[in-house]
Amino acid sequence: MEELLGVALQSMQQDMARVDRVAMNLSNALTPAYKREVAVVRAQSAGRGPSFARMWDAGMAETMGRELSASQVEVLSDTRSGTLKSTGQNLDLAIAGSGYFEVQTDNGTAYTRQGNFRMDGRGRLVTAQGYPVMGKGGDIYLNTSQPSIDAAGNIVENKLPVAQLKIVQFDKPASLRRLGDGLVAAGDGMTQLQDAEIQIKQGYLENANVSSMREMVELTQTMRHFESMQKVAQGYDEMLGTAIRKLGDM
């Protein structure tokens, strides 16, 4: 019976981790290029052979494809691209397909898909937080906020080439560590994309790949499961209390 209580409590902890991820996804539903987070759990199949991987979002099994240690909850990113929306702003850029922009922060190099860029006081192309966006030759300096940027990331002003955006990809984007402000740290297998592999859309931003309706359904299902496990734990507590009272009456 103690094992039953342990399973119930562990399931409740996993449910709370899932609720945290749903809350995070909903709060970032309007954040450009945000990638929804998914809680992945490895559960132990009691008395039925080896453990098996159990994913809260079964549709992400092929995208995640990652093994976890028993009873561990790990948060991975759903790296599927969001839809694109037209903004009409020349410095708004979206990557249609795989890849990340490289930026330079105070703590070193980082990567992002949030392309809501601007020009700072020094004429550099920077992120919304002011981090310089990297080109193949380093910082990108502009003379105007109306450059022309083609699909390969080539930046042209007054018919003259200025720079080319540096776009990279990683072998396992789902496991990239988030740094905040839409940034991720470098991961395994980083490669620089060739011109033919890059698909930049000028005047567009990538939407978050979050469906509010789907997140609300997951929240409802998770809370129902949590309540069921809570009843199991309460039933165990009541049964234990009854057993103790009966022992006292003997």
Side-chain angles (χ1 to χ4, degrees):
M1 292 301 293
E2 289 182 2
E3 291 182 1
L4 178 61
L5 178 61
V7 169
L9 295 177
Q10 187 178 82
S11 294
M12 291 166 66
Q13 291 176 338
Q14 294 168 355
D15 286 338
M16 292 308 300
R18 187 183 180 193
V19 169
D20 287 344
R21 302 283 66 77
V22 171
M24 178 67 73
N25 293 339
L26 288 173
S27 66
N28 284 281
L30 299 179
T31 301
Y34 174 80
K35 301 301 179 225
R36 64 186 290 261
E37 295 185 339
V38 181
V40 182
V41 180
R42 174 172 286 274
Q44 185 71 32
S45 179
R48 295 186 181 180
S51 60
F52 59 93
R54 175 185 173 190
M55 293 193 176
W56 288 123
D57 189 341
M60 289 305 301
E62 186 172 329
T63 303
M64 301 306 181
R66 199 164 169 199
E67 291 189 359
L68 308 172
S69 60
S71 302
Q72 179 183 359
V73 178
E74 185 170 354
V75 177
L76 298 180
S77 296
D78 175 352
T79 59
R80 291 175 291 188
S81 299
T83 58
L84 303 185
K85 66 176 179 181
S86 174
T87 66
Q89 301 296 316
N90 278 50
L91 295 184
D92 281 347
L93 304 176
I95 300 176
S98 62
Y100 290 82
F101 299 104
E102 183 174 293
V103 302
Q104 193 67 34
T105 74
D106 297 337
N107 297 315
T109 305
Y111 302 88
T112 186
R113 285 181 66 90
Q114 290 186 6
N116 48 334
F117 301 144
R118 60 182 178 85
M119 231 174 72
D120 69 2
R122 298 167 55 184
R124 296 179 306 176
L125 183 66
V126 298
T127 67
Q129 295 76 28
Y131 302 128
V133 180
M134 292 293 100
K136 290 186 175 180
D139 290 0
I140 298 173
Y141 287 89
L142 304 174
N143 296 311
T144 172
S145 60
Q146 302 294 320
S148 175
I149 304 175
D150 66 16
N154 294 296
I155 303 175
V156 176
E157 289 184 320
N158 298 321
K159 299 183 179 180
L160 296 175
V162 173
Q164 184 177 10
L165 291 162
K166 184 177 181 181
I167 309 297
V168 304
Q169 68 178 2
F170 301 93
D171 286 346
K172 298 179 180 179
S175 62
L176 294 176
R177 180 168 59 90
R178 300 192 187 212
L179 302 174
D181 292 331
L183 303 174
V184 296
D188 296 334
M190 185 182 76
T191 57
Q192 186 172 317
L193 292 178
Q194 301 302 310
D195 290 3
E197 301 173 300
I198 302 172
Q199 300 179 57
I200 300 293
K201 297 278 290 183
Q202 184 178 22
Y204 286 80
L205 286 178
E206 180 184 356
N207 290 314
N209 64 352
V210 174
S211 166
S212 296
M213 181 176 295
R214 176 174 58 186
E215 299 300 328
M216 291 304 298
V217 168
E218 288 208 13
L219 179 61
T220 300
Q221 292 175 340
T222 301
M223 292 309 299
R224 286 176 177 171
H225 185 265
F226 181 89
E227 291 169 357
S228 297
M229 294 298 99
Q230 189 176 43
K231 289 179 180 178
V232 170
Q234 290 173 343
Y236 176 86
D237 185 63
E238 291 172 0
M239 182 181 65
L240 184 61
T242 299
I244 292 173
R245 285 194 298 272
K246 287 184 177 179
L247 286 173
D249 293 337
M250 290 182 178

